[in-house]
Amino acid sequence: MISPDIRIEGFDAQSWGRLLSLFSTAPADLETSAEQALLPNRPEGTLVVIVDDQDRTLRALHTGRGALTGVRYGGSESLPLLARDHGVKRCVVIREGVPEEIAERLAVRLQPGDDYASQWLSCVRILREVQSAGMMRVWPRPLASVPIPAMTTLQRALDMLLPDDHCWVLALWSGTHLWTTFVVHRHRGQIATVVGPDRIRQWTGPLGGDFRRDYRHIVRAVSTHLAPVHFGAFTDVGVLDHLLHTSHAGTWAKHVAARDIIVHPTPPYAMVVLGADAVGGAARRAAKWAGGLDMLKLLRPVVRELRSQVTSVSSVTEILGFNPIQIWSQWRQGRDAQDG
Amino acid sequence: MKSERFSARRPRPTCSDVAPVQLEGNHLRLGVSQMGGSPTGTDLSGNGALQTRRIPLYSGALHYWRIDPSLWKQALTSLKQLGLPMVETYVPWGVHEVTEGHVDFGERDPRLDLGRFVDMAAELGLWVFARPGPHINAELTYFGLPKHVIYNRAYQARSPKGNPVIQPYPPQMFPIPSYASRAFAAATQSWYRAVADVLRARMYPEGPVVLLQVDNEASYYFRTGEYDQDYHKDALADYRQFLRKRYRSLDRYNQEYHTSHQTWREVTPPLSFDVQAFDVQAFDGQALGPRRKGVEPMGAGPSAGPIGGQASAPGSHLELRRAMEWAEFREVLITDSVDRFRGSLEAVGLGGVPTVHNIPLGETGQPVNLSALQDAVPLVGLDYYHRARDFETVRWRTLFLTGSTPIPYAPEMGVGAPSWFPPLDHQDSLFSFLTACAHGLRGFNLYMAVDRDRWYGAPVDDRGQPRAEARSWKSVIHALDRVDHASLHRKVEVAIQVPHEYRRLTRLTHLLGGIVTPSVFEALGGSPALACREDTLDLGRAVQLEWHAWVVEVVQALEAEQIPYVLVDSDARMERYEGIRLLFSPTFQYANRRRWKGLEQLAGTGMHLATGPEVPQMNDRFQPEVFPVGSSVEGTSWVCQVDGIAVGELVRSQLDTLGLRPEVWVQPSSEDHSGEEPGREEPIRSKDSEEGVQETGPVWQRGLSPAGDVRATLHGDASGPRALYVMNTVEDARRCTVHIPRCTRVTDLLLGDHFEDVRALPLQVPGHTCRVFALEAAVHDSPAKENRDKVERTDGDPAMGAHGVQHSSTRLPNIQRPSIQRPSARRSSRRPS
């Protein structure tokens, strides 16, 4: 899935930092100490408690404040209280010797030829094992309800998202400036190249500064230098940020319709997602107007019909068992799943 | 002072007298060249004349195999235009030998034509620093090792359970090789032989290669947990040999450990740190092998008991001693392996030039002995990848480097970062670099100077074109050249020892093992002791935590007094204490005997010693021993802190006793000007000739001159102070006055402004920036008023970078732009006056 020879190129420090900020809880450019200061009591960091085999605390640390004294672990039920008392977002209790145990199990399971995604799936499985065995407690348990997909499942999802020898493009502008890009090229079945804006500019030459026009140049350049584009999203970073921070149905479809975000090309799964989002949005509005009538239920045949128009495609959510966009959005908003 | 170390292991290798390239005074001294010709006929020595010359240890990294050969020339030219006399490149084994036994140096893939690349560097007048591994990392898959090497089971490091040890770095986790594996060492020598076929004819004086690195970041591939590895059979054999050398006979070992081993093969290393083994269990005289800790579910109650255990008498510390020996052995294993690799390089004909080794971030928490490594490789440095807000970490590391090595050198000074590191921006790189220089770093390799895949943020892009950031780097390197930074030194009279016997205990008692090691905490700006257990281990105190806290308290007290100091590795050679008048050394219930003898020796030279908080009662084998201290050592000034005296008090009293005061000090402005536009800065002059100008600055007084957020360091040579660095350690701008030795002319090397006859500089320093000033003897030939009328600009100008670095050549009236010239020509301008 991920090529051992993967190339990541065409980024400078700024554009790389911006790309990473898309996966942080707030955009790097917007996060200031002044904004942080407005939220003085917000839970911050993680409390790590290392205990012995009788659950006695050997050491407790806060990821931001360092070592803590007087932390007592009173069983898994006490974790929310512990987190509240110490003003942390997360709490991890780990038994002494467990990191070594994890390392040993990993060493036994990895096989030559496993790719990085597969190796990480092994890690995640081992982490769940040690949690299930009571060697480690985590509160809250992020993504606890998300099933660990099999490698073949991931492969199928990738096949749908990005067919071989095609590219996936996300290009973000800030005003008239190309803010960052994330171009992924799949080759011989594996993610082979990730390209940043420096390289894109080399390929396109000077851009006009309006993503509604520039996107064509980018699609053409990527197709020429890497491979045909299978999916492209082009928008302003502010719009994307707004979209990732809203959970209202229909928002994505509305912005696409208004060309606040250009989706081009639009593969079938994107049409399904956008179509479902539009239907959901319409249902929400209609429900409001219709005094609480469940319009979504009424519209379900429409969605089915829409999906039937898209041949041989099921949704990524159905394949994976979870909605990756939703996970991304939750992550960005710093909302851990509170389902324990 | 005698040339010896507190803990001497082997004769220190030096470049022989006949070696054409030697390390000398923070420079490379190139010996007499026969004809000075490079392989391509370029005269590198300057007109073929027989001469000796020095070049500073400044270089930039460029990975030839990652760039199309058609772009090499442009990239090398851009690198040289930064003001760097040398190009550094790894030589990746895994890229050149994809198929076992078939090494390609350009025969099939022109990108791999190392010889052509080196020749091209020579043609452009660049020296070459080659790093052939075997481990290189370089963000390559398998850290640059071939796949067939990685998956050879005979080469692989082993965990306590005999499993391979996995390195989780992207883009593929892999089993790491063992530093002890002789088979791996033999394979490495074959690789070196192939490299030598290309480089041998290109070594100085025949060619431009003047520096070679042996391996890379030899620190168990970042799997540094004390019980993580290495239980490879060759490592176990080395461990037994280490013990055999220490105890001389198995009988003595059995006697001291209360064991009854029949052969050395029965002696096994500890597999985990088991505190119960020595402070709970009764000694039964049986050697049962080490106990493994249980990982039963929480709430399952006490562990079912030891799986096995080398039990010992309560309070005898035998298990602790065994653990400490294991920790020491792991340092020795790394040193010996690096030494073995260096020997292999020489054996294949790549000798004659100095060798380098680099230690990654988090050195205090690593099983690596910086001083011992210098016995294997003469130039050992630290790698730097820090955020601007990591000021204190950069300062600590650099002061440790300057205190512990003769040439403070950074083999990797991060410019940008790997794609999978926490993001670092231009300001992070530049501020960290200048902070390191300000605290005494004298040589560096900008890593990367030229961008490449799996990397971002180099000043030159991957097509060889300089980015906007290149201007800042060019200005800064030129500023260093102007003050001849490589030849300067800081006057430091205070040192703090960093003892190995306590560092080892910190590593041993680390609770998170695996990958989240003490080094990780340290690299992130924390203490390596952050995740250590809090038990006292029958040592009276939690020494593993307290030694570091004690050192930090001394550091804080010295910082508050603005007194320059260095941190010294406890195994450092005695030369490292030259010029030191006051030494602080943490001492607890146990101490290393050799370190103590060194302290006694230093006390005998008249050095003031301050130790504490305890007088040791045991050596680091935990055997009772008398450690003479304080007044019992006749004729010395040795103060031992006793409980109840705060460390800060101890520091201040010692400074008072010696009358130590800062040569340069910063007085923070009492007003908050952080939101103001930069305005005129009026220097305080040392003369009383001008109206409205103070005659002298305020006098430094202890306690009345808190350092604030701005720090200043002074660097000089035999002629006196030559350079001043002023750093703002916080994000917001700060105003301050920097008091400097009188009768100087001060030139801001990055902004170009200058003042004469000043002894106090009122400055505004933008957040996380460093200003660099040249100090010269006072010149009275220009009207003072004219100078006073100059307006210094620090920020607010779009032409200025984050560091106030000039972005327009018109704004540098006092700085000659570095021209593109051959190394020999530029060297003459760098030579100290």
Side-chain angles (χ1 to χ4, degrees):
Chain A
M1 193 164 173
I2 297 173
S3 168
D5 298 321
I6 187 171
R7 292 181 64 83
I8 304 172
E9 59 191 17
F11 291 93
D12 62 10
Q14 205 170 39
S15 57
W16 182 254
R18 287 167 173 170
L19 179 63
L20 294 190
S21 76
L22 296 176
F23 302 94
S24 71
T25 50
D29 291 1
L30 304 177
E31 198 169 28
T32 65
S33 52
E35 287 169 7
Q36 293 290 330
L38 293 175
L39 301 163
N41 297 320
R42 193 172 66 168
E44 280 297 336
T46 301
L47 175 68
V48 180
V49 185
I50 307 152
V51 297
D52 67 7
D53 50 15
Q54 295 179 58
D55 288 351
R56 288 177 303 205
T57 302
L58 295 172
R59 190 71 159 162
L61 352 153
H62 182 282
T63 50
R65 300 198 292 268
L68 303 175
T69 52
V71 177
R72 282 177 165 275
Y73 170 60
S76 56
E77 300 76 23
S78 69
L79 288 179
L81 204 62
L82 214 51
R84 196 197 65 191
D85 289 350
H86 293 278
V88 292
K89 275 200 243 179
R90 287 171 215 90
C91 208
V92 177
V93 178
I94 188 164
R95 184 183 301 285
E96 181 190 14
V98 168
E100 291 89 338
E101 179 66 20
I102 293 170
E104 294 279 10
R105 290 188 189 192
L106 183 65
V108 171
R109 299 214 192 151
L110 294 193
Q111 297 298 318
D114 284 353
D115 92 339
Y116 203 49
S118 164
Q119 291 175 329
W120 267 107
L121 287 178
S122 297
C123 287
V124 173
R125 278 190 203 102
I126 291 167
L127 282 172
R128 287 216 173 158
E129 281 170 18
V130 297
Q131 286 184 61
S132 303
M135 298 176 196
M136 192 167 119
R137 303 264 187 226
V138 180
W139 182 91
R141 290 186 66 184
L143 316 180
S145 58
V146 175
I148 302 173
M151 193 57 204
T152 48
T153 308
L154 277 186
Q155 197 73 40
R156 275 173 54 215
L158 181 65
D159 287 344
M160 194 189 75
L161 283 171
L162 182 55
D164 204 22
D165 274 319
H166 280 76
C167 291
W168 200 91
V169 179
L170 173 67
L172 298 172
W173 275 255
S174 175
T176 58
H177 176 73
L178 186 59
W179 198 70
T180 195
T181 67
F182 183 55
V183 177
V184 181
H185 175 211
R186 191 173 178 211
H187 182 58
R188 292 181 183 166
Q190 296 179 311
I191 305 294
T193 316
V194 176
V195 171
D198 271 17
R199 183 71 78 246
I200 297 292
R201 285 190 206 98
Q202 281 166 16
W203 290 343
T204 61
L207 291 166
D210 180 353
F211 69 85
R212 294 174 188 84
R213 287 198 288 268
D214 288 343
Y215 81 90
R216 291 179 194 282
H217 301 296
I218 292 178
V219 168
R220 195 179 308 123
V222 171
S223 302
T224 304
H225 291 274
L226 279 178
V229 177
H230 178 68
F231 167 81
F234 308 81
T235 187
D236 191 273
V237 63
V239 172
L240 181 71
D241 196 48
H242 170 69
L243 289 170
L244 291 176
H245 276 86
T246 184
S247 51
H248 289 170
T251 316
W252 283 83
K254 192 179 88 180
H255 280 81
V256 169
R259 286 172 62 82
D260 288 335
I261 177 167
I262 302 286
V263 181
H264 176 84
T266 313
Y269 61 81
M271 288 166 62
V272 170
V273 170
L274 290 171
D277 183 59
V279 168
R284 187 173 56 83
R285 281 190 294 275
K288 201 172 166 185
W289 300 329
L293 191 66
D294 189 357
M295 292 296 286
L296 193 58
K297 196 173 177 181
L298 297 177
L299 285 168
R300 206 162 279 156
V302 181
V303 178
R304 256 201 305 273
E305 175 61 21
L306 178 67
R307 192 164 285 170
S308 71
Q309 298 297 313
V310 185
T311 55
S312 70
V313 168
S314 55
S315 79
V316 178
T317 304
E318 279 179 14
I319 293 176
L320 291 175
F322 59 90
N323 182 344
I325 296 282
Q326 194 182 356
I327 299 289
W328 182 20
S329 180
Q330 280 180 359
W331 178 260
R332 287 268 294 164
Q333 294 172 53
R335 287 196 333 223
D336 287 317
Q338 300 284 328
D339 51 11
Chain B
M1 221 171 258
K2 284 181 185 173
S3 175
E4 59 185 69
R5 277 188 21 219
F6 279 6
S7 171
R9 287 185 60 256
R10 58 166 69 75
R12 187 188 184 114
T14 54
C15 295
S16 69
D17 292 339
V18 295
V21 187
Q22 295 192 48
L23 293 166
E24 182 185 88
N26 302 329
H27 290 73
L28 280 175
R29 184 168 71 83
L30 306 184
V32 173
S33 165
Q34 293 305 309
M35 287 303 292
S38 77
T40 54
T42 303
D43 178 5
L44 285 164
S45 69
N47 306 320
L50 299 179
Q51 55 182 333
T52 298
R53 69 187 68 82
R54 302 200 315 164
I55 56 171
L57 287 158
Y58 299 171
S59 61
L62 188 169
H63 292 170
Y64 58 94
W65 73 94
R66 283 170 147 149
I67 293 178
D68 192 275
S70 64
L71 299 171
W72 284 352
K73 190 170 184 180
Q74 174 61 47
L76 286 165
T77 303
S78 296
L79 182 146
K80 192 178 176 188
Q81 284 173 340
L82 294 174
L84 300 169
M86 185 160 35
V87 59
E88 175 272 309
T89 185
Y90 279 123
V91 185
W93 185 0
V95 173
H96 286 281
E97 192 183 342
V98 177
T99 310
E100 189 171 1
H102 294 88
V103 183
D104 180 10
F105 275 108
E107 293 81 9
R108 289 185 290 276
D109 183 349
R111 285 175 185 249
L112 305 183
D113 195 343
L114 173 65
R116 190 180 152 218
F117 175 77
V118 172
D119 294 347
M120 191 178 287
E123 283 167 27
L124 294 167
L126 285 161
W127 306 104
V128 174
F129 169 20
R131 308 206 283 174
H135 161 212
I136 66 166
N137 192 338
E139 291 65 61
L140 284 171
T141 311
Y142 314 130
F143 280 15
L145 291 158
K147 191 173 182 178
H148 61 83
V149 168
I150 285 297
Y151 287 106
N152 186 323
R153 291 183 63 84
Y155 301 166
Q156 291 169 353
R158 294 289 152 180
S159 72
K161 288 184 178 172
N163 291 317
V165 181
I166 303 298
Q167 169 47 255
Y169 263 43
Q172 192 152 42
M173 300 182 195
F174 63 94
I176 58 182
S178 164
Y179 272 97
S181 166
R182 299 299 190 276
F184 176 64
T188 298
Q189 181 148 5
S190 299
W191 158 243
Y192 281 169
R193 199 170 289 115
V195 176
D197 288 345
V198 178
L199 290 188
R200 197 180 296 112
R202 293 172 170 91
M203 303 293 283
Y204 188 85
E206 284 78 22
V209 181
V210 290
L211 211 52
L212 283 176
Q213 183 170 300
V214 181
D215 201 54
N216 174 66
E217 298 182 340
S219 181
Y220 295 101
Y221 295 78
F222 307 128
R223 290 288 303 264
T224 55
E226 285 301 316
Y227 302 103
D228 216 22
Q229 55 163 313
D230 186 347
Y231 300 87
H232 186 283
K233 66 177 177 55
D234 291 346
L236 297 182
D238 287 348
Y239 171 67
R240 289 171 190 130
Q241 187 60 31
F242 167 82
L243 293 176
R244 193 190 299 234
K245 200 172 162 187
R246 170 158 294 181
Y247 291 96
R248 295 193 183 90
S249 74
L250 186 60
D251 283 346
R252 188 167 165 214
Y253 177 87
N254 280 330
Q255 193 181 354
E256 298 218 5
Y257 271 105
H258 308 297
T259 52
S260 51
H261 298 303
Q262 299 300 309
T263 67
W264 278 106
R265 288 186 63 83
E266 293 173 16
V267 177
T268 55
L271 303 181
S272 67
F273 188 83
D274 192 348
V275 65
Q276 293 177 20
F278 67 88
D279 67 2
V280 175
Q281 293 177 50
F283 169 65
D284 62 6
Q286 296 297 309
L288 300 172
R291 165 189 162 138
R292 284 293 300 148
K293 237 170 259 305
V295 284
E296 290 81 8
M298 288 173 189
S303 142
I307 295 169
Q310 189 151 331
S312 56
S316 68
H317 298 105
L318 281 185
E319 192 62 23
L320 188 57
R321 174 176 169 180
R322 208 157 75 95
M324 291 283 277
E325 280 178 341
W326 172 245
E328 185 180 348
F329 162 71
R330 280 166 42 88
E331 295 170 15
V332 172
L333 174 57
I334 289 290
T335 306
D336 286 351
S337 302
V338 170
D339 195 35
R340 196 177 298 127
F341 289 141
R342 181 194 52 77
S344 292
L345 274 178
E346 284 181 5
V348 299
L350 294 179
V353 300
T355 45
V356 181
H357 189 75
N358 55 332
I359 296 176
L361 277 67
E363 61 283 351
T364 313
Q366 281 173 24
V368 171
N369 188 321
L370 175 70
S371 302
L373 267 175
Q374 289 171 73
D375 291 343
V377 173
L379 186 56
V380 180
L382 300 181
D383 292 345
Y384 288 74
Y385 296 95
H386 296 282
R387 299 159 297 183
R389 67 182 184 205
D390 296 336
F391 170 84
E392 288 185 10
T393 307
V394 175
R395 179 180 65 198
W396 175 292
R397 301 188 73 220
T398 311
L399 293 177
F400 179 66
L401 188 64
T402 53
S404 309
T405 63
I407 301 177
Y409 177 63
E412 290 183 21
M413 173 55 70
V415 185
S419 305
W420 30 80
F421 261 38
L424 298 176
D425 64 19
H426 173 57
Q427 190 175 12
D428 289 322
S429 302
L430 201 55
F431 184 60
S432 299
F433 171 68
L434 283 169
T435 298
C437 288
H439 288 92
L441 188 78
R442 300 294 168 200
F444 55 84
N445 173 44
L446 297 186
Y447 191 93
M448 301 285 304
V450 179
D451 233 330
R452 40 93 168 173
D453 82 300
R454 301 183 189 179
W455 192 269
Y456 63 87
V460 178
D461 72 18
D462 60 2
R463 300 180 73 81
Q465 299 299 324
R467 291 196 167 111
E469 293 85 351
R471 291 180 186 162
S472 304
W473 286 102
K474 193 171 170 180
S475 296
V476 166
I477 292 165
H478 187 54
L480 297 182
D481 276 347
R482 270 199 69 184
V483 294
D484 195 11
H485 177 84
S487 299
L488 303 182
H489 65 272
R490 278 182 86 201
K491 185 182 173 188
V492 176
E493 295 177 307
V494 181
I496 310 165
Q497 259 191 354
V498 183
H500 274 280
E501 66 266 34
Y502 305 145
R503 285 170 61 184
R504 285 176 195 137
L505 189 63
T506 296
R507 298 200 307 265
L508 287 165
T509 53
H510 180 75
L511 286 161
L512 287 174
I515 296 149
V516 190
T517 60
S519 299
V520 170
F521 287 110
E522 202 183 355
L524 294 172
S527 156
L530 198 57
C532 288
R533 59 188 318 131
E534 295 170 349
D535 316 57
T536 60
L537 307 175
D538 207 14
L539 294 170
R541 300 164 181 260
V543 178
Q544 67 275 18
L545 305 174
E546 291 200 22
W547 78 267
H548 193 265
W550 194 90
V551 171
V552 168
E553 277 192 71
V554 175
V555 164
Q556 287 170 344
L558 291 169
E559 285 292 332
E561 303 294 334
Q562 306 197 44
I563 301 289
Y565 61 92
V566 288
L567 295 150
V568 187
D569 183 288
S570 64
D571 274 0
R573 283 178 173 261
M574 295 296 270
E575 298 100 279
R576 302 313 313 147
Y577 295 93
E578 262 178 47
I580 298 298
R581 295 174 62 200
L582 172 59
L583 175 65
F584 292 95
S585 183
T587 53
F588 291 87
Q589 206 177 97
Y590 74 97
N592 177 273
R593 192 185 305 156
R594 269 197 301 266
R595 177 166 75 97
W596 207 267
K597 287 199 180 302
L599 290 176
E600 288 178 45
Q601 195 181 333
L602 291 170
T605 65
M607 184 185 292
H608 282 242
L609 261 59
T611 59
E614 288 182 89
V615 177
Q617 309 292 320
M618 297 182 283
N619 57 32
D620 60 354
R621 294 185 193 182
F622 303 100
Q623 297 160 321
E625 188 163 328
V626 176
F627 288 82
V629 67
S631 55
S632 65
V633 183
E634 201 176 333
T636 62
S637 303
W638 188 332
V639 178
C640 184
Q641 180 206 11
V642 292
D643 280 334
I645 297 179
V647 176
E649 275 304 309
L650 177 75
V651 172
R652 282 186 287 276
S653 68
Q654 290 302 296
L655 295 178
D656 280 339
T657 303
L658 285 169
L660 291 173
R661 51 182 298 159
E663 209 176 2
V664 56
W665 55 285
V666 180
Q667 190 177 24
S669 170
S670 54
E671 301 163 46
D672 179 15
H673 297 281
S674 55
E676 286 185 11
E677 287 296 312
R680 297 163 72 90
E681 293 168 0
E682 296 290 346
I684 297 171
R685 296 159 57 79
S686 59
K687 296 170 71 179
D688 56 358
S689 58
E690 298 297 326
E691 188 185 347
V693 174
Q694 274 181 261
E695 185 179 337
T696 59
V699 176
W700 177 81
Q701 284 181 279
R702 172 154 306 132
L704 297 179
S705 308
D709 298 319
V710 179
R711 295 286 187 280
T713 61
L714 199 63
H715 301 244
D717 57 17
S719 66
R722 293 278 307 278
L724 169 72
Y725 291 80
V726 182
M727 294 148 280
N728 180 352
T729 64
V730 296
E731 207 170 334
D732 301 322
R734 287 285 183 270
R735 277 185 186 279
C736 63
T737 302
V738 182
H739 299 266
I740 54 177
R742 63 190 305 167
C743 296
T744 54
R745 182 184 193 218
V746 181
T747 305
D748 187 323
L749 291 173
L750 302 178
L751 300 176
D753 303 292
H754 63 94
F755 311 99
E756 293 196 11
D757 296 348
V758 297
R759 61 163 302 172
L761 282 171
L763 296 174
Q764 177 167 337
V765 192
H768 285 155
T769 63
C770 177
R771 297 181 68 173
V772 187
F773 299 90
L775 307 181
E776 299 166 48
V779 178
H780 301 284
D781 56 357
S782 58
K785 193 168 188 314
E786 181 188 327
N787 290 313
R788 285 203 300 121
D789 285 345
K790 277 188 174 294
V791 177
E792 260 196 335
R793 303 186 62 172
T794 56
D795 60 15
D797 183 343
M800 299 292 171
H803 282 74
V805 171
Q806 199 79 26
H807 280 192
S808 161
S809 58
T810 57
R811 292 276 302 151
L812 279 171
N814 298 321
I815 299 178
Q816 291 180 348
R817 315 297 288 178
S819 56
I820 305 168
Q821 48 192 338
R822 302 152 69 83
S824 55
R826 196 173 50 257
R827 270 193 312 279
S828 61
S829 66
R830 283 206 180 96
R831 197 166 293 158
S833 57

